[in-house]
Amino acid sequence: MRKPVMAGNWKMNKTVAESVDLVKKLSASLAGVSDRDIVVCPPFTSLAIVSEVLKGTSISLGAQNMNDHTDGAYTGEVAPGMLTDVGCQYVILGHSERRQYYGETDELVHKKLQLALDKKLIPIVCVGELLKEREEGRTFQVIEKQIKGGVSGLSPAQATGVIIAYEPVWAIGTGKTATPAQAQEVHFFIRGLMARIYGDAIANSVRILYGGSVKADNIDTLMAQPDIDGGLVGGASLDVNSFTRIVKFVKA
Ligand code: 13P
């Protein structure tokens, strides 16, 4: 059985004070939830303080990105070891906004993935097609390239620990969620790809999250799909009530 994961990607939102306020409220509203993994990914500036607030709670800490080197002259960047140092257990890699605005490639994502795994961070690797690619009937082709380029070449033990997030770019921040059937179709395809690369046992244990306008009112139907193992939530993770409801999705 795959344990569900609900991860909040705060993106470039929340001051330190706002971050502390939100995680204090979430710690209270999500106290005692243990049958699903809960992750918050605040901006870098809030990681250290949020880590302190989350001690002893059921919520884990993640970062939104990391550099592909361990240290050195990379002005403005943050190393994976710095993330574990402040208590991060997870890191989001290859988010479509990183790919679109900062030119991240599958090769770079793969390099970051290897390094994250070496540093014992649990990677959440994002894949997803643009609207144009979907309209041209190229969704599976795009996903296959991203998975093969980004997620292949790992040891079996490493591959089992990877979390994949399917985030169709046209559904991010648009309020236009993929239908449960559209999402399930791609999740099933990704699991099949992982089976071809790593075998059935690993493919069946890898968790695949859906992201793109996940809200309190659509999470239950998404989670009813057999290959959807959780959510990577943007806007709706910034509000205590909506993220709480998402984490507490009701099993169909
Ligand atoms: P929204 O939930 O705001 O659409 O963002 C999704 C996302 O990009 C999460 O990483």
Side-chain angles (χ1 to χ4, degrees), residues 9 11 95 97 167 171-173 212-214 232-235:
N9 174 9
K11 307 192 180 183
H95 191 280
E97 287 149 17
E167 298 205 306
I172 295 178
S213 299
V214 170
L232 183 56
V233 187

